[in-house]
Amino acid sequence: MADSLLLFKRGPSRSTWLRARKARQHLILSYRPRRRLGRLRWRSRRRFRRRLLQAQAAGVDWREGGCLVSRAAAPRRHKTAAPSPRPPEDPAPSCSAILPIPPVRSAGSGRAVLLLPLGQGFTFSGICRVTCLYGQVQVFGFTISQGQPAQNVFSTYTHCRLTINAVHYAVHEKSKKEMKREARSLLRSYLNQDDRYCLMKNFSPLCSILLLERLKTSTVNFIISHPGLSYVFVQEIPTFQINSEYFALKSVGIRRERKKNGLRLTESAFSVMEELVSISCEEADGCPVILVCGSQDIGKSTFIRYLINQLLNSISCIDYLECDLGQTEFTPPGCISLLNVTEPVLGPPFTHQRTPQKMVYYGKPSCKNSFENYIEIIKYVFSSYKRESPLIVNTMGWVADEGLLLLIDLIRLLSPSHVVQFSSDRGRYMPDLSPSYVDNMDGLYTKSTSKVRNRGFHLAEFADSLEFADEEKENPLLFTGFKLMSVKSEFVSGKTPRNRESHNKVLRELAVLSYLGQLQPPVPKPLCPLHGLTPYQVPFNAVALRIIHADVAPTHILYAVNASWVGLCKILDDVRGYASGPILLAQTPICDCLGFGICRGIDMEKRLYHILTPVPPEELRNVNCLLVGTISIPQCVLKSQRGLEGTIPYITTDYNFKLPGASEKIGAREVEETRKEKLHPKPKFYRKTN
């Protein structure tokens, strides 16, 4: 160790140690130093790494000034002093002490105990189950206090890393000795005496103690069982920092991340969120309707998740209306849904798939060329909103040209009390949607206020089918007044115009896999491949069929349905009475979707569909319609199932794209841009002739 110190003091002539000075704290090398280190000869590189590990084992830390300071000789902070949000900068070029990291102690197999001083955070990647043993912490805006149930937290690599922050909590008149005694008694069930002693040395008033446990769910196990998807939750990144904390966190299934990789919201986002929470908790004359809009990849969904968690700290439930077809939050893609949220959302969408209160399967990830049907479905779903709790509306990121006009129609239709508009210097320009701008701007299907008054129409006629009270229908200002709240976003997305579509496709496939994960038995039972599950048998004459996105000849309709992702829907018309089937619909109905499934096979002799779905049998009795859209089964489900031998079904390498109908663009349905007179067109049935 003395040799390494002497070598470091020889000055800038030693190029190896000059590169070492650029190393990260705690001996983790960044990308550029690792690249420069790779140019050394293998013996020099091997010698350098050995000296780094020797320094780590001897208890030496890297400091910003390039000096090596022993942990024992490092200045110690007073235990009762609250750390400042930002460490003060040392004007002198001498060695400066770094704030001690939060202690982590292993608590047995798959468990670890973490102590967080007030004002400090723990940024991590991976999934775990968090229990607050003492104090109070906040994760993604949701507060977890002592005595509350444990929460499943998902900090995946597809989104920003999550941070557990120790927050201030009310303390009854207790001395530090009494608080320390109480914390020590809580730790007896999890740590041995030596670990309790080491952990309690760092105890300070208003600190928090957490229990981190390994989390295993059937859905997560099903996702990572497919090749190439294990990186979503866990990534093995080489590191020189191998110590007791590293092994304790690895046993839980997480790893510490740099703070810059964590979620960061702007001051404007926090101020808007604080105002919305205050309004939702104090508003006495009704529940606010909050519409969030902005361009793509600007942070709308992240803001909504944080807002939902903040609201759940004060109220018991929130209503959520999903209008973004491509990146849905609680359902598989291609749906417009309304659901009641009562539990926090502590992860990306594919970690919290839930059953909505009302859902319609649109069948496509975009509403282009079918705007009118999109508006009609939103009207149908929004009619189920009871105005008993605050409503959050998520909109699409398409805010240019016709997308902006469609957004103006939605504002007039939904009549929000608050519109949260995101803007960014890097995003597409979007005008401020102030009440005056919306009143004077024509939408795709609505006219401005001045034109409506001149022609003698009423704004309420656009929502004549909604279930409002009579006094609300008579008020023409119901659909115009709202408060605009602007959020300046500094959200940095990993997507680019070149990889955006492929990235969004991966997220949609993860949502589908998460839904299919509900078919798996609960942990600790082993996973069962989909081809090993028993499907439901549905007679041809029990359900009607409809291909949403394209015109398919009746003789080929079963080829399109086989091995497809299908929406299990309920239409008002009775499909019984047809002798054999299949029963085909001439128009796409606007109807309730009860769930989804896979048509894994069709028995032509017995005239049966074989449907694989997690929808319970009591709900399946109401299904009388199957809808097929552009949302497809992920390829990994067809190609990477365990237990398959020989030729894989539905997979081929000999495919001719020149054949008619082979391309998805051929045969696409042209949608008429005319106003439908009825909200629910009656489906027409006809039977296939043999």
Side-chain angles (χ1 to χ4, degrees):
M1 190 64 233
D3 295 338
S4 63
L5 288 174
L6 291 175
L7 288 173
F8 187 77
K9 292 179 180 179
R10 289 182 181 178
S13 59
R14 299 288 295 185
S15 59
T16 302
W17 286 107
L18 286 178
R19 297 187 184 99
R21 291 180 61 180
K22 297 179 180 287
R24 294 183 186 176
Q25 299 170 3
H26 305 298
L27 307 182
I28 303 179
L29 295 180
S30 60
Y31 171 73
R32 183 171 297 177
R34 285 202 311 270
R35 185 178 178 183
R36 293 177 179 175
L37 183 62
R39 298 177 182 175
L40 299 177
R41 294 183 178 180
W42 69 271
R43 290 187 179 181
S44 301
R45 186 164 60 250
R46 183 177 175 185
R47 187 184 306 112
F48 175 67
R49 289 176 177 172
R50 183 171 64 250
R51 287 173 178 171
L52 289 178
L53 294 177
Q54 289 175 354
Q56 175 78 28
V60 177
D61 289 337
W62 294 101
R63 300 305 179 188
E64 292 181 355
C67 300
L68 293 171
V69 181
S70 173
R71 289 195 181 104
R76 304 181 63 179
R77 301 176 63 91
H78 197 272
K79 294 182 180 181
T80 59
S84 59
R86 297 180 181 178
E89 297 182 359
D90 192 355
S94 60
C95 302
S96 59
I98 298 177
L99 292 177
I101 60 176
V104 179
R105 291 290 169 180
S106 177
S109 177
R111 299 196 304 178
V113 175
L114 171 67
L115 186 143
L116 280 177
L118 178 64
Q120 290 196 15
F122 174 72
T123 305
F124 70 99
S125 59
I127 60 175
C128 65
R129 191 172 179 85
V130 179
T131 306
C132 186
L133 302 178
Y134 183 83
Q136 186 171 303
V137 296
Q138 194 173 88
V139 186
F140 211 178
F142 184 74
T143 302
I144 306 176
S145 303
Q146 179 180 348
Q148 290 185 351
Q151 297 292 337
N152 298 338
V153 182
F154 302 85
S155 182
T156 64
Y157 286 89
T158 56
H159 294 70
C160 292
R161 315 299 183 268
L162 300 185
T163 302
I164 305 176
N165 295 302
V167 296
H168 188 276
Y169 54 91
V171 180
H172 300 289
E173 297 182 357
K174 295 181 181 179
S175 63
K176 178 182 177 181
K177 187 175 182 179
E178 292 175 342
M179 291 188 291
K180 204 168 184 178
R181 186 184 302 115
E182 179 183 358
R184 188 182 293 110
S185 62
L186 292 172
L187 293 175
R188 288 176 181 170
S189 304
Y190 306 100
L191 299 177
N192 55 38
Q193 185 175 359
D194 294 338
D195 289 336
R196 280 201 314 270
Y197 176 77
C198 294
L199 193 71
M200 294 308 295
K201 286 194 304 182
N202 298 275
F203 183 86
S204 62
L206 298 180
C207 72
S208 301
I209 302 177
L210 304 176
L211 176 64
L212 309 177
E213 299 176 279
R214 175 177 285 272
L215 176 62
K216 290 184 178 180
T217 65
S218 56
T219 299
V220 172
N221 292 341
F222 178 73
I223 292 177
I224 65 178
S225 65
H226 297 86
L229 293 181
S230 60
Y231 75 94
V232 174
F233 302 101
V234 178
Q235 288 188 7
E236 293 294 336
I237 302 177
T239 176
F240 289 131
Q241 186 184 8
I242 302 178
N243 49 22
S244 59
E245 176 192 324
Y246 170 82
F247 289 109
L249 296 179
K250 186 176 181 180
S251 67
V252 178
I254 62 177
R255 59 175 294 135
R256 181 189 293 276
E257 293 283 348
R258 301 180 67 177
K259 186 178 180 180
K260 71 174 186 178
N261 295 332
L263 175 65
R264 291 176 292 178
L265 297 177
T266 60
E267 292 296 332
S268 59
F270 280 116
S271 61
V272 168
M273 206 173 303
E274 183 179 357
E275 183 177 353
L276 291 176
V277 171
S278 177
I279 292 171
S280 302
C281 298
E282 298 176 0
E283 189 166 333
D285 57 348
C287 298
V289 177
I290 305 166
L291 186 142
V292 182
C293 61
S295 58
Q296 293 180 343
D297 305 327
I298 203 171
K300 299 190 303 295
S301 299
T302 303
F303 175 85
I304 289 176
R305 295 185 204 113
Y306 204 102
L307 177 60
I308 289 175
N309 294 334
Q310 285 276 294
L311 289 173
L312 288 177
N313 292 330
S314 305
I315 57 180
S316 59
C317 61
I318 300 102
D319 286 332
Y320 178 84
L321 177 62
E322 182 63 80
C323 299
D324 189 354
L325 297 169
Q327 302 298 328
T328 53
E329 186 68 32
F330 298 100
T331 64
C335 298
I336 296 174
S337 60
L338 174 70
L339 68 160
N340 193 265
V341 183
T342 58
E343 297 179 356
V345 285
L346 303 177
F350 55 86
T351 61
H352 47 251
Q353 296 287 297
R354 298 175 184 175
T355 303
Q357 174 185 349
K358 192 88 167 179
M359 178 172 62
V360 174
Y361 184 45
Y362 187 82
K364 293 181 287 186
S366 174
C367 68
K368 291 184 179 180
N369 302 326
S370 185
F371 306 119
E372 190 173 353
N373 192 35
Y374 175 75
I375 289 290
E376 296 292 344
I377 292 176
I378 291 179
K379 289 170 62 176
Y380 175 72
V381 175
F382 183 61
S383 63
S384 300
Y385 175 51
K386 303 303 182 183
R387 294 181 179 265
E388 297 176 352
S389 56
L391 175 66
I392 300 177
V393 182
N394 183 30
T395 59
M396 298 182 297
W398 182 34
V399 293
D401 303 328
E402 294 174 327
L404 179 62
L405 303 181
L406 194 63
L407 179 59
I408 292 176
D409 286 339
L410 286 182
I411 293 177
R412 291 189 178 132
L413 169 64
L414 303 178
S415 181
S417 59
H418 299 80
V419 173
V420 181
Q421 181 178 353
F422 277 73
S423 62
S424 174
D425 297 334
R426 297 179 300 272
R428 182 183 294 271
Y429 170 75
M430 180 180 178
D432 292 338
L433 298 179
S434 61
S436 60
Y437 179 86
V438 175
D439 285 344
N440 298 323
M441 189 70 179
D442 292 341
L444 279 179
Y445 301 101
T446 59
K447 301 299 181 181
S448 63
T449 306
S450 59
K451 293 183 179 180
V452 168
R453 290 174 179 173
N454 294 335
R455 298 183 182 182
F457 297 123
H458 298 282
L459 291 176
E461 71 173 358
F462 187 60
D464 52 0
S465 62
L466 301 183
E467 299 177 357
F468 292 120
D470 295 336
E471 59 273 11
E472 291 178 340
K473 286 184 178 181
E474 296 175 357
N475 184 11
L477 298 179
L478 174 66
F479 300 93
T480 57
F482 60 87
K483 180 179 180 180
L484 178 63
M485 310 176 77
S486 300
V487 174
K488 189 69 173 179
S489 175
E490 298 178 359
F491 184 78
V492 179
S493 174
K495 303 178 187 177
T496 62
R498 180 175 297 180
N499 68 356
R500 177 179 289 111
E501 183 58 33
S502 60
H503 188 90
N504 292 339
K505 182 180 179 181
V506 171
L507 296 180
R508 288 194 290 267
E509 291 183 349
L510 286 173
V512 173
L513 290 175
S514 177
Y515 187 87
L516 293 176
Q518 302 176 25
L519 290 166
Q520 299 298 324
V523 176
K525 294 182 179 180
L527 294 177
C528 182
L530 296 182
H531 64 83
L533 299 175
T534 303
Y536 293 96
Q537 295 181 351
V538 182
F540 279 6
N541 59 357
V543 294
L545 296 180
R546 176 63 177 172
I547 308 299
I548 299 175
H549 60 286
D551 290 318
V552 180
T555 54
H556 295 115
I557 196 75
L558 295 181
Y559 292 102
V561 175
N562 193 21
S564 296
W565 179 259
V566 295
L568 310 178
C569 304
K570 175 185 177 182
I571 58 178
L572 299 179
D573 299 85
D574 190 3
V575 300
R576 294 175 297 180
Y578 293 86
S580 57
I583 305 171
L584 307 182
L585 296 178
Q587 292 180 342
T588 302
I590 298 179
C591 56
D592 293 345
C593 181
L594 306 182
F596 297 92
I598 295 177
C599 182
R600 57 161 295 179
I602 298 178
D603 191 339
M604 295 300 297
E605 295 182 359
K606 299 181 180 180
R607 309 191 74 78
L608 296 173
Y609 304 109
H610 295 276
I611 305 295
L612 200 60
T613 176
V615 178
E618 55 271 14
E619 292 288 337
L620 288 177
R621 296 188 181 97
N622 300 321
V623 174
N624 58 0
C625 177
L626 302 181
L627 297 181
V628 180
T630 60
I631 309 301
S632 59
I633 304 173
Q635 294 184 5
C636 58
V637 174
L638 300 175
K639 294 166 43 178
S640 306
Q641 290 194 63
R642 295 177 301 170
L644 291 177
E645 297 180 358
T647 304
I648 302 177
Y650 309 113
I651 299 296
T652 181
T653 57
D654 185 13
Y655 189 78
N656 188 2
F657 284 94
K658 296 181 180 180
L659 293 176
S663 175
E664 59 181 7
K665 296 182 180 180
I666 301 177
R669 178 177 293 113
E670 297 293 337
V671 180
E672 297 179 358
E673 297 296 333
T674 58
R675 181 77 169 91
K676 297 181 182 179
E677 296 180 357
K678 296 183 180 180
L679 177 63
H680 309 292
K682 183 177 180 180
K684 299 179 182 179
F685 303 97
Y686 60 90
R687 186 173 53 186
K688 175 186 174 184
T689 58
N690 295 326

